[in-house]
């Protein structure tokens, strides 16, 4: 089987320096190259690279999707970049670009499978045959999933076929338009050992007798147009004396498997040297036939029995050297996922059985199995069926505490693929549900690196069309945690989408009308809180979506926190000059039934709105009354035992600390600073110094007109800063980076 296309580095195995360098070269081609008149690139300067490094660079460019007509031009410099094992898999190349860049090299291997666009097998053959060295040197050629374009296989009246490449030992033409005449041409190759003609329109296998002395491996999966009697098929196969590996599997899962039955029951006289046989998907395979076949071949190393129902034979469990791809147990299922990476139907079948198996894996951390599932998701990212069952398996393998022991790079790759699935199939409810369940993990949300900004948008889009309460709660929880971890720039960009604000406020409104205070409401308010924190656009959207009309502040502190964010934005303060709103906020300042958190944020709203006398549009007597009540209420607040709030910056407080401000406004600001410095002095005392707030506090403390309550608290904060300076690490010169948000 072809090697896996999925390479994974464990946490304990850092990525090789050469891999990092190659990846950087791929990203920097424009700066490293000059553009030729035909638009292709040439390296401006390059040393003579080791031949293996040139191969790796081409492979990396293909894997990263940067290989095309323009970039492949760098390999025209055969002196510096000498290719031997070339891979242009799935890369959009024209016939001309391929001929100019790759055909001059003395290639030993070429993988051009799945190349989109105009490049055909005919172009590749004629290009390779034009280089006399390639005719002799090329040993491995893969053209699977490619149009061969037989009608153009003529160059100057000379027919160019596979037989022109006399050095070929391995040829893969799976899923191509291979026909009987060209199979005959192929089978004249003097050194041919490995041949894959799976899913081609071949009707006759008699041509195989032409290489009966050299052919060691034949893959003939899914030959739907084969027009031969089962007995004739077996007769031809039995004459392939060098054959060691045979694949007659079929993913149709239908009857009509007489040739396979004859092979299994024919005794050891038919292909006695076989060490590998694949008959997966053949429904008429019986346990008795399998038992007879295995017992007659003691050297058997592999047997493919997926979707045959014959994987439970006793003879299979007693042979430790025999690997079986099937569905009877975990070992067989995992072998199926490894073997059938390039067969979608078998991958899906194996994942279905794996899902049933992982339903019982409650306390086992299995990164080995998760890697196999991820490989299936990556190989078939456009297959809804694979993504659906694979995402269900991922949830089972990462649910609850099972994600804790998983390597973070593996989880990061899994989450990336989950987000790709959400993006590719936005209207499929069950798949979206599966992906949401995967994301709703503390380990993944808190510790694993992935694109949280993209995830927040995808989950928000999903939320718009679903009202299931359990899933709604999970979705809002995920969004709340994701938003809190975004950068300021990302939060601003996310908050600029008024649709997101409508969705979150819709949930709040729904809970308000029902009089329900639950986790969904709290998560929604937390998300709103972080979205509006120092983001004027999101704050404006909050007002436009009637966020100020909600009166939930006496139920939970969350809404007052959001409205406190709105009050910090000077250009929006006029929208909050509503007498009924302010009267309601004043009622939350103190009282035995009001939590300190509610009072604190209500005080923040009032402090910001009363801090600008020139912008106050209501009765001045109301402003004075509010200031007096604010001052009095703050003096009654007791420090909460647990952390109540966190700030990423003290800058919104600076205008409140001016000596010209009323005492109530100043007192709220210093009380807030004193609170967070008391609970987390290491972080916030340093933030005060870095942002310049210490100078403001000193000015406030030394001003003769400063109220004694304000002065006392300011001096207390300065004392904590001084203590922190004495005890902290003198080498620490910058504040810890990261977005803290507010909670």
């Amino acid at each position: 089987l072809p090697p896996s296309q999925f390479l994974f580095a464990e946490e304990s195995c850092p990525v090789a320096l050469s891999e990092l360098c190659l990846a950087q070269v791929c990203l920097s081609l424009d700066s490293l190259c000059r553009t030729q008149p035909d638009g292709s690139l040439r390296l401006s300067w390059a040393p003579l690279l080791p031949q293996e490094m040139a191969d790796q660079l081409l492979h990396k460019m293909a894997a990263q999707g940067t290989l095309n007509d323009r970039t492949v031009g760098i390999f025209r410099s055969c002196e510096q970049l000498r290719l031997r094992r070339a891979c242009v898999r799935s890369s959009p190349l024209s016939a001309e670009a391929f001929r100019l860049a790759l055909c001059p090299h003395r290639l030993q291997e070429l993988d051009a499978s799945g190349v989109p666009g105009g490049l055909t097998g005919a172009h590749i053959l004629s290009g390779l045959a034009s280089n006399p060295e390639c005719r002799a040197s090329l040993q491995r050629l893969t053209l699977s999933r490619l149009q061969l374009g037989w009608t153009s296989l003529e160059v100057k009246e000379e027919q160019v076929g596979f037989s022109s490449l006399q050095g070929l030992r391995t040829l893969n033409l799976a899923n191509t338009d291979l026909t009987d005449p060209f199979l005959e041409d192929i089978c004249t190759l003097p050194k041919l050992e490995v041949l894959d003609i799976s899913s081609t329109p071949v009707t006759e296998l008699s041509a195989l007798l032409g290489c009966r002395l050299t052919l060691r491996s034949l893959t003939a999966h899914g030959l739907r147009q084969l027009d031969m009697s089962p007995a004739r098929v077996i007769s031809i196969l039995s004459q392939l004396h060098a054959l060691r590996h045979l694949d007659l599997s079929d993913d149709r899962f239908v009857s009509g498997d007489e040739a396979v039955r004859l092979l299994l029951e024919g005794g050891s006289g038919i292909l006695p040297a076989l060490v590998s046989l694949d008959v997966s998907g053949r429904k008429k395979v019986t346990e008795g036939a399998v038992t007879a076949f295995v017992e007659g071949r003691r050297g058997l190393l592999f047997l493919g029995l997926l979707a045959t129902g014959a994987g439970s034979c006793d003879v299979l469990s007693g042979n430790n050297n025999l690997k079986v791809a099937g569905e009877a147990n975990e070992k067989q299922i995992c072998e199926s996922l490894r073997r059938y990476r390039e067969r979608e139907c078998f991958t899906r079948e194996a994942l279905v059985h794996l899902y049933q198996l992982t339903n019982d894996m409650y306390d086992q951390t299995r990164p080995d199995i998760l890697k196999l599932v991820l490989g299936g998701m990556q190989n078939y990212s456009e297959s809804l069926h694979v993504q659906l069952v694979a995402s269900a398996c991922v949830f089972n393998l990462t649910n609850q505490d099972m994600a804790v022991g998983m390597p973070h790079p593996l989880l990061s790759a899994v989450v990336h693929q989950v987000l790709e699935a959400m993006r590719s199939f936005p209207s499929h409810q069950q798949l979206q549900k599966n992906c949401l369940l995967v994301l709703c993990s503390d380990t993944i949300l808190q510790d694993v690196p992935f694109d949280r900004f993209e995830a927040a948008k995808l989950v928000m889009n999903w939320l718009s069309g679903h009202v299931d309460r359990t899933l709604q709660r999970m979705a809002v929880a995920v969004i709340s945690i994701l938003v809190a971890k975004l950068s300021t720039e990302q939060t601003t960009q996310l908050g600029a989408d008024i649709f997101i604000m409508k969705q979150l406020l819709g949930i709040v409104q729904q809970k308000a009308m029902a009089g329900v205070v639950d986790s969904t409401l709290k998560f929604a308010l937390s998300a709103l809180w972080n979205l509006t924190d120092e983001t004027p656009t999101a704050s404006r959207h909050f007002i436009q979506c009637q966020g100020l009309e909600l009166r939930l502040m006496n139920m939970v502190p969350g809404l007052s926190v959001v409205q406190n964010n709105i009050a910090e934005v000077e250009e929006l303060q006029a929208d909050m000059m509503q007498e009924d709103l302010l009267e309601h906020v004043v009622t939350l300042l103190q009282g035995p039934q009001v939590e300190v958190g509610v009072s604190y944020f209500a005080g923040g709203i009032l402090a910001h709105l009363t801090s600008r006398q020139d912008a106050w549009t209501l009765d001045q007597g109301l402003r004075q009354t509010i200031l007096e009540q604010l001052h009095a209420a703050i003096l009654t607040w007791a420090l909460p035992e647990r952390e109540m709030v966190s700030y990423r910056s003290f800058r919104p407080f600076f205008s409140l600390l001016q000596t010209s401000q009323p005492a109530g406004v100043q007192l709220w600001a210093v009380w807030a600073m004193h609170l967070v410095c008391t609970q987390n002095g290491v972080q916030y005392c340093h933030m005060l110094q870095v942002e310049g707030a210490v100078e403001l506090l000193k000015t406030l403390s030394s001003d003769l007109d400063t109220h004694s309550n304000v002065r006392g608290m300011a001096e207390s904060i300065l004392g904590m800063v001084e203590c922190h300076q004495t005890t902290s690490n003198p080498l620490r010169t910058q504040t810890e980076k990261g977005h803290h948000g507010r909670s």
Side-chain angles (χ1 to χ4, degrees):
L1 291 177
S4 170
Q5 296 301 310
F6 171 59
L7 303 177
F8 183 79
E10 296 283 4
E11 279 188 318
S12 57
C13 301
V15 178
L17 178 59
S18 60
E19 283 290 308
L20 295 174
C21 291
L22 288 173
Q24 186 60 40
V25 170
C26 292
L27 294 173
S28 308
L29 282 177
D30 283 329
S31 60
L32 296 173
C33 297
R34 62 182 186 277
T35 302
Q36 299 300 297
D38 64 355
S40 64
L41 296 183
R42 300 286 195 285
L43 288 172
S44 300
W45 175 88
L48 176 61
L49 289 181
Q51 179 266 311
E52 294 84 357
M53 191 66 69
D55 291 342
Q56 292 174 27
L57 176 59
L58 178 65
H59 194 287
K60 176 69 71 174
M61 290 169 65
Q64 291 191 348
T66 58
L67 186 66
N68 51 46
D69 280 5
R70 181 169 175 265
T71 58
V72 77
I74 66 174
F75 294 98
R76 296 188 195 179
S77 303
C78 300
E79 297 79 11
Q80 285 78 31
L81 300 174
R82 298 164 297 161
L83 296 174
R84 294 293 181 268
R85 296 174 174 82
C87 176
V88 296
R89 190 182 184 96
S90 302
S91 302
L93 295 178
S94 67
E96 182 69 5
F98 174 83
R99 182 182 65 81
L100 293 174
L102 298 181
C103 293
H105 295 268
R106 194 173 186 274
L107 298 179
Q108 296 176 358
E109 300 178 10
L110 172 64
D111 182 352
S113 57
V115 173
L119 185 63
T120 67
H123 295 134
I124 291 174
L125 281 180
S126 61
L128 295 174
S130 67
N131 182 349
E133 290 188 326
C134 263
R135 285 177 178 260
S137 66
L138 193 68
Q139 299 179 25
R140 297 172 61 94
L141 178 60
T142 300
L143 302 179
S144 60
R145 296 178 286 112
L146 197 66
Q147 284 294 314
L148 298 178
W150 300 124
T151 56
S152 60
L153 275 179
E154 291 187 6
V155 178
K156 295 182 180 180
E157 300 180 356
E158 176 187 356
Q159 180 127 357
V160 177
F162 290 98
S163 57
S164 62
L165 304 175
Q166 290 288 292
L168 272 185
R169 296 178 180 273
T170 299
L171 179 59
N172 185 343
L173 296 173
N175 296 284
T176 67
D177 51 343
L178 177 69
T179 56
D180 293 344
F182 284 96
L183 179 60
E184 293 179 6
D185 177 58
I186 289 166
C187 292
T188 64
L189 289 167
K191 300 179 181 179
L192 187 64
E193 297 179 353
V194 179
L195 178 61
D196 189 341
I197 56 173
S198 299
S199 301
T200 61
V202 166
T203 65
E204 255 281 346
L205 297 180
S206 301
L208 295 175
L209 297 176
C211 54
R212 63 181 180 276
L213 299 179
T214 60
L215 194 63
R216 296 173 55 84
S217 174
L218 174 64
T219 303
H221 165 85
L223 295 182
R224 309 290 165 77
Q225 299 185 36
L226 200 61
D227 187 19
M228 302 174 65
S229 69
R232 176 61 178 159
V233 171
I234 297 302
S235 173
I236 292 173
L237 293 178
S238 64
Q239 297 180 61
L240 305 180
H241 302 304
L243 203 63
R244 299 292 182 271
H245 308 274
L246 178 60
D247 184 345
L248 296 177
S249 61
D250 197 307
D251 58 12
R252 289 177 299 178
F253 303 154
V254 295
S255 302
D257 304 323
E258 184 64 16
V260 171
R261 185 189 68 79
L262 292 175
L263 174 61
L264 292 174
E265 297 179 354
S268 58
I270 301 178
L271 298 174
L274 277 186
V275 297
S276 169
L277 176 65
D278 196 338
V279 293
S280 289
R282 301 288 188 172
K283 289 296 185 181
K284 284 192 174 181
V285 173
T286 64
E287 291 189 6
V290 171
T291 300
F293 184 83
V294 173
E295 289 179 342
R297 291 167 177 77
R298 295 298 179 182
L300 200 64
L301 299 177
F302 171 73
L303 194 57
L305 295 174
L306 182 65
T308 64
S312 300
C313 301
D314 293 337
V315 69
L316 301 178
S317 59
N319 189 340
N320 293 329
N321 294 325
L322 179 61
K323 293 183 178 181
V324 180
E327 69 269 6
N329 52 50
E330 176 189 312
K331 190 175 181 181
Q332 289 187 11
I333 294 171
C334 290
E335 185 66 27
S336 297
L337 289 172
R338 280 189 288 267
R339 293 272 174 169
Y340 301 131
R341 291 185 179 95
E342 296 197 359
R343 292 181 185 168
E344 178 184 344
C345 194
F346 285 168
T347 295
R348 184 173 72 246
E349 181 76 8
L351 287 171
V352 168
H353 293 287
L354 179 63
Y355 172 70
Q356 297 169 351
L357 185 70
T358 56
N359 279 330
D360 298 325
M361 291 184 178
Y362 298 117
D363 55 355
Q364 303 178 54
T365 300
R366 296 299 301 272
D368 55 330
I369 296 181
L370 186 59
K371 288 181 193 178
L372 294 174
V373 176
L374 175 60
M377 295 184 77
Q378 291 174 323
N379 289 340
Y380 300 104
S381 59
E382 298 180 359
S383 168
L384 171 61
H385 298 295
V386 170
Q387 298 300 313
L388 185 62
V389 66
S391 58
C393 291
V394 168
F395 172 68
N396 281 350
L397 291 166
T398 59
N399 190 21
Q400 298 176 356
D401 294 333
M402 295 172 65
V404 174
M406 294 286 187
H408 284 185
L410 174 59
L411 287 177
S412 182
V414 166
V415 174
H416 173 77
Q417 200 60 45
V418 164
L419 297 179
E420 284 294 318
M422 294 184 73
R423 188 181 299 107
S424 299
F425 305 99
S427 60
H428 195 280
Q429 183 171 346
Q430 186 59 51
L431 177 62
Q432 295 287 321
K433 177 180 177 181
N434 290 354
C435 295
L436 180 61
L437 288 168
V438 171
L439 291 176
C440 199
S441 159
D442 285 342
T443 298
I444 289 175
L445 290 174
Q446 300 290 353
D447 304 328
V448 176
F450 63 93
D451 191 341
R452 288 176 167 79
F453 177 65
E454 184 65 22
K457 291 193 296 183
L458 288 170
V459 176
M460 187 63 70
N461 287 334
W462 177 90
L463 188 62
S464 65
H466 300 83
V467 294
D468 180 279
R469 290 184 179 180
T470 301
L471 293 178
Q472 184 190 67
R473 178 184 61 80
M474 288 192 298
V476 176
V478 168
I479 292 167
S480 173
I481 296 172
L482 291 175
V483 171
K485 291 183 171 293
L486 298 180
S487 67
T488 303
E489 294 75 14
Q490 290 173 325
T491 304
T492 301
Q493 188 176 346
L494 195 64
D497 188 348
I498 195 170
F499 166 78
I500 292 177
M501 190 64 65
K502 287 180 178 178
Q503 289 297 116
L504 292 172
L505 278 173
I507 293 172
V508 174
Q509 181 67 46
Q510 172 191 353
K511 298 297 180 181
M513 293 177 64
V516 175
V517 179
D518 59 9
S519 58
T520 302
L521 173 62
K522 293 178 180 179
F523 282 130
L525 289 171
S526 178
L528 286 168
W529 188 354
N530 282 284
L531 281 174
T532 56
D533 187 17
E534 297 185 34
T535 52
T537 302
S539 299
R540 168 63 68 186
H541 288 162
F542 180 86
I543 294 175
Q544 292 173 348
C545 295
Q546 287 77 52
L548 294 179
E549 279 67 47
L550 296 173
R551 295 292 186 266
L552 274 178
M553 291 186 292
N554 58 329
M555 300 170 63
V556 286
L559 191 61
S560 59
V561 174
V562 180
Q563 295 184 349
N564 182 58
N565 287 345
I566 309 301
E568 290 180 0
V569 183
E570 290 188 357
E571 59 265 32
L572 300 180
Q573 290 174 353
D575 294 279
M576 301 189 72
M577 292 295 174
Q578 304 173 22
E579 192 166 332
D580 61 333
L581 172 64
L582 295 180
E583 288 176 353
H584 179 69
V585 175
V586 169
T587 64
L588 304 176
L589 279 176
Q590 56 186 327
Q593 304 300 321
V594 181
E595 297 180 5
V596 174
V598 175
S599 299
Y600 170 78
F601 291 111
I605 295 172
L606 298 174
H608 284 287
L609 293 181
T610 56
S611 66
R612 298 174 63 219
Q613 184 173 4
D614 57 336
W616 184 265
T617 59
L618 301 177
D619 182 72
Q620 289 296 327
L622 175 61
R623 177 174 179 268
Q624 187 59 38
T625 300
I626 290 175
L627 287 170
E628 293 172 359
Q629 291 179 320
L630 174 62
H631 194 133
I634 295 172
L635 296 178
T636 68
W637 293 347
L639 289 176
E641 295 181 359
R642 63 182 182 86
E643 186 176 358
M644 186 179 71
V645 64
S646 61
Y647 290 109
R648 56 177 143 176
S649 172
F650 284 129
R651 291 187 179 89
F653 290 71
F654 287 3
S655 63
L656 309 183
L657 294 173
Q658 301 302 315
T659 56
S660 59
Q661 289 287 7
V665 172
Q666 297 169 338
L667 185 59
W668 183 86
V670 294
W671 196 93
M673 289 179 165
H674 187 270
L675 169 66
V676 294
C677 288
T678 300
Q679 295 179 333
N680 190 348
V682 173
Q683 175 182 333
Y684 290 109
C685 287
H686 189 65
M687 187 187 294
L688 285 170
Q689 295 173 276
V690 171
E691 294 186 346
V694 169
E695 297 305 317
L696 290 173
L697 290 171
K698 288 180 178 178
T699 300
L700 198 61
S701 176
S702 61
D703 191 276
L704 296 178
D705 294 329
T706 298
H707 194 284
S708 59
N709 298 139
V710 177
R711 180 183 293 108
M713 195 156 288
E715 291 174 349
S716 177
I717 297 170
L718 292 171
M720 285 190 281
V721 172
E722 184 178 353
C723 181
H724 169 72
Q725 285 179 309
T726 304
T727 59
S728 63
N729 185 346
L731 295 179
R732 177 172 174 157
T733 59
Q734 62 177 6
T735 186
E736 290 187 13
K737 296 181 179 179
H739 174 73
H740 299 288
R742 303 180 178 182
S743 59

